[in-house]
Amino acid sequence: MDGVPRVPEQRRPGSSAEPAALRFSVLGPVRAWRGDEPVTTGSPQQRALLAALLLREGRTATAAELIDALWGEEPPQQALAAVRTYASRLRKVLDPGVLVSESGGYAVRGLGEGALDLAVAQEHAAEAEKARNTGDLCHAREVLTRALSLWDGETLAGVPGPYAQAQRARLEEWRLQLLESRLDMDLERGNHAETVSELTALTAAHPLRERLRELLMLALYRSGRQAEALAVYADTRRLLADELGVDPRPGLQELQQRILRADPGLAEPSAPASEPAVLPVRPAQLPATVPDFTGRACFVRELSEVLESASGSEGRVMAVSALAGIGGVGKTTLAVHVAHEARSAFPDGQLYVDLQGAGGRAAEPETVLGSFLRALGTADSAIPDSLEERAALYRSVLDGRRVLVLLDNARDAAQVRPLLPGTAGCAALVTSRMRMVDLAGAHLVDLDVMSPDEALALFTKIVGEERVASEREAALDVVAACGFLPLAIRIAASRLAARRTWTVSVLAAKLADERRRLDELQAGDLAVKATFELGYGQLEPAQARAFRLLGLADGPDISLAAAAAVLDLSPDETEDLLESLVDTSLLESAAPGRYRFHDLVRLYARACAERDEQPPSEREAALSRLLDFYLATAAGVYAIERPGDRLVDGLEGTEYPGLRHADGSAALDWLYSEASPLLACVQQAAGTGRLRRAVDLLWAAKDLAESGANAHQYETTARVMCDATRDAGDARAEGRARTTLTNALLVSGRIQQAAEQAELAMTLAESASDATAASWVANDRGLICLHQGLFADGRTFLEQAIEGYRAVGNRAGEALSLSNLSRAHLGMGNIDKAVAIAHHGLTAHLAIGRTMRLANGHFALGIALTRAGRHTDALGQFSDALHIFEEHRQRLWQGTTNFRIAEVHLAAGRPAQAARHAEQALALGCIGGDRMRGNVLTLLGRALSGLGQVDRAKACWWDALSLYEQSGAPETEDVRALLSPAQTA
């Protein structure tokens, strides 16, 4: 790297190394150690002498040079004597032979490898440059980070003299060059959003450093914040003109022009990382192709030609092939096989997703896009929230790459469109039961059943040539009875292959019954059902029961523990049964300990349960056990996360036990991994006698909404349960359902809707004499009033909640409402009382222990202390809150706390720190949805304005104004005032 300062290669003395070697630091205070013990380096002038010798590259420094280094043009009369005294004192504390006298001067010799921190930093910098030149950005960044970590404050801190001053400036410049290089690598690796926060703080600390401004513009542009990127340039141009009377350098001007014309080249790193880098930018997600793939030659050739048109020199903009056909016809098998054949034509990777279009809960396009973006190397914090923004970023990331996307089991064209690449060189394969005639530009393929020869070849590969050769006619009867449907043939052949005593004729005789044959392909599911009947009929009784009952549960998959609850068996017995079903191809192993049905097999299993399960009440009993399992386990997780909270005491009782977790981390792992099946279980209980338990399960799993994980699915489920409980006329259950919906709406910042639901929930809870729900709703109504500026009403509701919690001994609830009550008093101007109540709330939280809600206590006290002007104390409280929220994976609360920290820094006159924490809040997201994001942008704009970055501040305020106007937030006029000419002049 250019401008790297050099120090001597330290040489060892001829004798063996000392047991405790000397070490020195100059990248901070000048210090010395012998092993781990500090060595006294004396007065500032003595340290200045030591620093001058350490930095002279092993050369001898004459007495005159040292005098000039320590005192410059005005040395004291006894300067020479002083130098000799300093040298003598240093020689006494250092090892023999380290500080040597030579030719009337002094030198430092004989240090061991790594003895000087600057030498270590130089080695790391050289290694980083070498790694970067070979394309290994990951290693280069890691080594460069180690080099930068060697700085410990100001270089040569506290060392006087002109030499130290010159070296201090030189080494600080080198540090900034290394930092710029590391930030440049961050951008090359695609970490744009994370880098914005750091660059915002650095440009505030070094406002005239144009390279940092250039990197910030690029990071903002790649994060989708074009207006802010251009505003940075405007701020820079004005600052340079005011301070130096110059224009920005050509490189910065060129970047501005490229941003103005949306140059596609800016979407890609300027020097992309090469393949050895460990970044997940070359996904290889294709499922394994089946080893016995048979036939379909014409379809393989046709599809391969379409894919070739995308990868060839002419590069069609978007090559899309959509395969349609009935379930079990082999769409996925063919698509996966063709995709594997074409892998070499798409060297930048292959993406795959099962869109679950044939089930009742198809995959959401925004969820799939999030998964794809992560696989393509996009950091979580850089992935936007909305479907449109994710789709746009996805197309930008794919621009210039050659990637194959396999979209399996699609519901319809609307689900597929956002997932299609939009650039030359990429291609998509889509499978679906529906013919996608409305998917513009797609090459449509209708996949029919196999030909007789292909069907017989597939059957022979699975069963074995020896068994089929002697019974060819019987084999033809079998594949004909299967309707030449690949899935049916595979299941029938697998059954025969697993039973060595059967002949092909035995299987053919079993298929002779017309009720077991696939008569007409257009019958759809009925045809597939006849095929599955063959496999089902060969199951042992215990296997058949497991097959039937497991098919009753909704959700994308099921865990071993949940399956054990459904079957009312031990985990070991359950695992044996499930693995045997996997062997029959009637069940799939989604991951270790997790299982799933093919969607058609699930439908067939349910039909079998309705037909065969005796007594019929066992079906309801199985789903009841599953709900009990989820409720008992979720209540246990809630209790671990919130000890002292009596909510779990007010939940419906369960007969079937749940899992017990040893610690909070394992409990949260379970909750988040089971989110989709758990919420599906809740929805499935609508319209049944399990309604109350289902609502309580949703309530106990409220972390799924509050943490930001599965928030949309949680809200959807809450709405379903509100409708179901209303239809059932169950006031208690409906009140609780509306309480969960209120919480979800509060998290997303839809305050008016939350207020409406909370009012209904309160009325219902009171009519049902549900004290547990009444207290929670009162707390929520208090929070809603705080958001609405109705602080006196908020105080009333929160005091009502406190009384309710005290009545049932819910210490955690009482502590939470006390903390919230402090904010009501803040809004009413009672700052001293607010601080006292917040202290009271924190004390109550501390008495319970280090729980997740303890963070809320610290958070509320931090807000009160901020209003009281006690900024240092407030930062301490927010820091404690942030650590606890991080520990409990509360991402949205982490973002909200960073916002509050930014507020403190801004109030204390530290706009650079405020901007950095505001950027972190934007990256993490906040409780309160778009309205809160508007608050963060407004604060960020104020911080940037305080740093003189007026144009970028205005860009933030315009974004905030747009969010406020969409939600009708009261802050709208405040932001308009900030944007008025009088304020921005």
Side-chain angles (χ1 to χ4, degrees):
M1 297 178 184
D2 295 339
V4 176
R6 306 305 305 169
V7 297
E9 179 182 351
Q10 305 293 347
R11 300 182 295 277
R12 295 180 179 272
S15 59
S16 60
E18 294 290 333
L22 279 172
R23 295 184 294 112
F24 298 91
S25 73
V26 293
L27 301 178
V30 176
R31 291 173 290 189
W33 297 267
R34 181 175 286 105
D36 293 329
E37 293 296 322
V39 174
T40 302
T41 54
S43 65
Q45 285 78 14
Q46 189 169 307
R47 292 198 302 275
L49 176 68
L50 177 60
L53 295 174
L54 289 169
L55 293 172
R56 284 193 67 82
E57 301 189 0
R59 299 188 304 273
T60 299
T62 66
E65 289 174 329
L66 291 172
I67 290 171
D68 184 63
L70 269 64
W71 292 287
E73 298 180 356
E74 298 180 359
Q77 292 183 350
Q78 302 298 319
L80 180 59
V83 167
R84 290 173 177 169
T85 299
Y86 299 151
S88 175
R89 291 174 181 170
L90 287 170
R91 190 178 287 115
K92 290 178 182 178
V93 298
L94 302 180
D95 293 345
V98 171
L99 199 160
V100 298
S101 301
E102 189 176 81
S103 303
Y106 301 93
V108 170
R109 301 277 172 79
L111 298 182
E113 182 180 353
L116 180 62
D117 58 354
L118 178 56
V120 176
Q122 291 167 347
E123 292 172 2
H124 287 332
E127 183 180 351
E129 184 175 18
K130 181 178 179 181
R132 187 175 188 181
N133 290 338
T134 60
D136 192 350
L137 280 182
C138 187
H139 181 64
R141 186 194 184 282
E142 178 186 349
V143 175
L144 203 53
T145 300
R146 290 205 298 266
L148 288 164
S149 71
L150 294 171
W151 266 267
D152 185 15
E154 183 185 41
T155 302
L156 303 174
V159 175
Y163 180 79
Q165 183 60 33
Q167 293 299 314
R168 189 178 295 116
R170 179 176 69 94
L171 292 172
E172 174 60 14
E173 172 62 25
W174 184 51
R175 184 187 73 84
L176 288 173
Q177 290 176 4
L178 295 180
L179 187 55
E180 288 167 347
S181 181
R182 197 264 294 161
L183 289 164
D184 193 30
M185 283 188 270
D186 284 342
L187 294 183
E188 290 186 44
R189 297 174 69 216
N191 298 332
H192 311 129
E194 299 94 327
T195 309
V196 168
S197 174
E198 186 173 2
L199 281 166
T200 297
L202 286 169
T203 53
H206 306 280
L208 297 177
R209 198 168 184 91
E210 292 183 68
R211 177 57 179 158
L212 289 175
R213 299 272 185 158
E214 182 179 350
L215 291 170
L216 177 57
M217 289 173 63
L218 191 57
L220 285 167
Y221 180 76
R222 289 181 179 170
S223 300
R225 298 160 69 177
Q226 180 180 5
E228 284 188 67
L230 293 170
V232 169
Y233 178 82
D235 287 329
T236 305
R237 182 179 60 183
R238 184 177 56 254
L239 181 66
L240 292 173
D242 292 346
E243 298 290 332
L244 305 177
V246 298
D247 290 328
R249 60 186 179 85
L252 202 60
Q253 296 180 36
E254 181 185 357
L255 178 58
Q256 183 228 16
Q257 292 300 313
R258 294 180 69 189
I259 291 175
L260 283 171
R261 62 176 183 266
D263 185 343
L266 290 180
E268 289 290 328
S270 56
S274 70
E275 194 140 325
V278 296
L279 298 175
V281 295
R282 294 188 62 211
Q285 297 183 341
L286 295 177
T289 186
V290 293
D292 50 20
F293 181 83
T294 303
R296 307 295 201 186
C298 62
F299 290 110
V300 170
R301 183 168 56 253
E302 179 182 354
L303 291 168
S304 297
E305 289 174 356
V306 175
L307 295 183
E308 185 180 349
S309 72
S311 60
S313 58
E314 68 274 16
R316 281 177 54 180
V317 171
M318 183 174 63
V320 181
S321 289
L323 287 73
I326 65 170
V329 79
K331 301 181 295 295
T332 298
T333 301
L334 174 60
V336 169
H337 178 79
V338 171
H340 275 283
E341 291 283 304
R343 283 187 64 185
S344 61
F346 299 94
D348 295 319
Q350 306 85 41
L351 297 168
Y352 171 85
V353 65
D354 179 1
L355 294 173
Q356 302 177 32
R361 293 177 177 83
E364 295 291 340
E366 55 261 47
T367 303
V368 176
L369 286 169
S371 176
F372 278 179
L373 287 167
R374 292 183 192 96
L376 291 164
T378 307
D380 278 352
S381 57
I383 298 175
D385 292 329
S386 73
L387 172 61
E388 293 77 14
E389 289 176 317
R390 288 189 177 190
L393 179 59
Y394 169 67
R395 293 191 294 271
S396 297
V397 171
L398 288 181
D399 184 37
R401 302 189 189 186
R402 295 166 68 181
V403 174
L404 176 61
V405 184
L406 204 171
L407 305 172
D408 192 19
N409 195 9
R411 177 185 56 204
D412 51 30
Q415 185 189 27
V416 167
R417 288 190 191 98
L419 309 179
L420 295 177
T423 55
C426 291
L429 279 172
V430 184
T431 73
S432 175
R433 295 183 189 177
M434 302 293 292
R435 294 189 77 247
M436 296 197 175
V437 293
D438 53 344
L439 190 60
H443 175 79
L444 302 181
V445 175
D446 289 327
L447 192 59
D448 204 344
V449 296
M450 284 181 154
S451 68
D453 289 343
E454 289 176 333
L456 182 61
L458 175 59
F459 183 82
T460 302
K461 282 187 177 182
I462 298 172
V463 174
E465 179 70 30
E466 182 179 349
R467 297 178 72 181
V468 174
S470 60
E471 297 185 88
R472 179 177 172 82
E473 292 301 320
L476 286 172
D477 289 340
V478 169
V479 296
C482 289
F484 309 113
L485 192 70
L487 183 58
I489 295 167
R490 184 173 296 280
I491 293 174
S494 297
R495 297 272 59 75
L496 182 60
R499 287 160 175 75
R500 305 302 301 177
T501 59
W502 282 16
T503 62
V504 180
S505 298
V506 170
L507 178 61
K510 290 180 176 292
L511 290 174
D513 187 341
E514 292 184 353
R515 293 171 300 174
R516 294 182 177 271
R517 270 198 275 155
L518 302 171
D519 296 323
E520 297 185 35
L521 297 178
Q522 64 267 30
D525 288 349
L526 179 61
V528 176
K529 179 179 177 181
T531 303
F532 293 147
E533 189 74 45
L534 174 65
Y536 173 70
Q538 306 306 316
L539 296 178
E540 299 295 333
Q543 291 177 313
R545 174 179 179 269
F547 176 73
R548 293 191 301 268
L549 295 183
L550 288 176
L552 296 172
D554 280 350
D557 61 4
I558 191 168
S559 67
L560 178 60
V566 171
L567 301 179
D568 197 18
L569 297 173
S570 71
D572 287 343
E573 292 174 303
T574 301
E575 185 174 23
D576 289 343
L577 279 174
L578 268 56
E579 288 298 326
S580 70
L581 289 173
V582 170
D583 291 339
T584 67
S585 300
L586 289 173
L587 192 67
E588 299 176 13
S589 178
R594 302 199 73 86
Y595 300 87
R596 68 185 177 204
F597 280 109
H598 182 283
D599 45 17
L600 295 176
V601 179
R602 184 199 301 273
L603 293 175
Y604 174 72
R606 289 183 177 179
C608 291
E610 293 174 3
R611 182 189 66 195
D612 300 339
E613 197 60 47
Q614 298 298 329
S617 59
E618 177 57 13
R619 300 198 299 271
E620 173 61 27
L623 291 175
S624 181
R625 288 191 297 270
L626 178 63
L627 180 56
D628 274 358
F629 166 77
Y630 280 135
L631 177 54
T633 309
V637 174
Y638 189 97
I640 290 174
E641 286 289 281
R642 299 171 175 82
D645 192 328
R646 299 291 299 277
L647 174 102
V648 293
D649 297 336
L651 301 179
E652 288 288 303
T654 59
E655 296 181 6
Y656 194 89
L659 296 177
R660 294 186 177 182
H661 296 101
D663 54 58
S665 178
L668 289 175
D669 285 342
W670 178 87
L671 181 64
Y672 293 128
S673 66
E674 290 289 337
S676 291
L678 182 152
L679 293 174
C681 180
V682 172
Q683 290 198 42
Q684 194 172 9
T688 72
R690 306 186 299 275
L691 199 55
R692 285 195 171 191
R693 279 179 293 156
V695 169
D696 282 357
L697 170 57
L698 187 63
W699 201 2
K702 62 186 297 185
D703 277 349
L704 295 177
E706 198 163 320
S707 66
N710 305 95
H712 177 72
Q713 189 179 2
Y714 186 94
E715 180 187 333
T716 300
T717 304
R719 292 187 182 278
V720 169
M721 299 315 290
C722 286
D723 292 342
T725 51
R726 181 197 60 214
D727 294 344
D730 189 334
R732 179 179 182 276
E734 185 182 354
R736 294 187 173 198
R738 295 196 184 280
T739 300
T740 65
L741 181 56
T742 299
N743 183 253
L745 292 168
L746 271 171
V747 169
S748 63
R750 284 169 285 172
I751 303 304
Q752 184 56 43
Q753 292 183 45
E756 294 167 1
Q757 292 299 323
E759 185 175 357
L760 284 172
M762 179 71 83
T763 301
L764 290 161
E766 290 173 349
S767 68
S769 300
D770 188 355
T772 301
S775 298
W776 278 101
V777 177
N779 180 78
D780 286 345
R781 294 192 76 178
L783 287 175
I784 290 166
C785 287
L786 298 186
H787 284 289
Q788 295 173 326
L790 305 173
F791 300 111
D793 291 343
R795 179 187 62 183
T796 300
F797 283 123
L798 289 167
E799 289 173 346
Q800 178 183 341
I802 291 169
E803 292 176 7
Y805 286 135
R806 284 175 179 166
V808 297
N810 191 336
R811 295 183 301 147
E814 179 184 351
L816 178 63
S817 290
L818 274 171
S819 297
N820 292 334
L821 181 60
S822 72
R823 296 174 60 186
H825 281 282
L826 279 181
M828 298 169 67
N830 305 326
I831 295 177
D832 291 341
K833 188 170 185 178
V835 172
I837 293 174
H839 270 295
H840 188 188
L842 179 60
T843 301
H845 280 297
L846 287 169
I848 298 170
R850 185 179 173 83
T851 70
M852 185 189 77
R853 286 306 179 198
L854 175 59
N856 294 99
H858 287 298
F859 181 84
L861 181 54
I863 294 175
L865 292 170
T866 302
R867 286 285 303 277
R870 295 165 57 181
H871 299 143
T872 301
D873 293 340
L875 285 176
Q877 295 299 323
F878 286 135
S879 177
D880 290 342
L882 190 59
H883 289 314
I884 297 173
F885 284 136
E886 289 173 350
E887 179 182 331
H888 291 269
R889 309 179 203 177
Q890 294 289 317
R891 178 176 60 85
L892 296 183
W893 274 111
Q894 292 175 48
T896 306
T897 307
N898 269 291
F899 166 70
R900 294 298 184 178
I901 292 173
E903 282 188 322
V904 177
H905 282 303
L906 189 60
R910 296 186 289 267
Q913 292 94 319
R916 181 164 190 169
H917 282 281
E919 287 286 2
Q920 290 174 356
L922 287 176
L924 289 164
C926 294
I927 295 287
D930 284 347
R931 180 180 176 185
M932 188 61 176
R933 183 174 178 84
N935 293 345
V936 178
L937 285 166
T938 302
L939 184 142
L940 176 58
R942 292 181 185 274
L944 294 170
S945 180
L947 294 170
Q949 301 180 29
V950 178
D951 287 286
R952 188 180 166 199
K954 289 165 64 178
C956 291
W957 291 334
W958 280 115
D959 287 345
L961 181 62
S962 175
L963 292 171
Y964 287 149
E965 288 177 338
Q966 291 173 23
S967 61
E971 295 87 353
T972 302
E973 293 306 318
D974 294 337
V975 177
R976 284 203 181 103
L978 289 172
L979 288 165
S980 67
Q983 290 291 325
T984 58

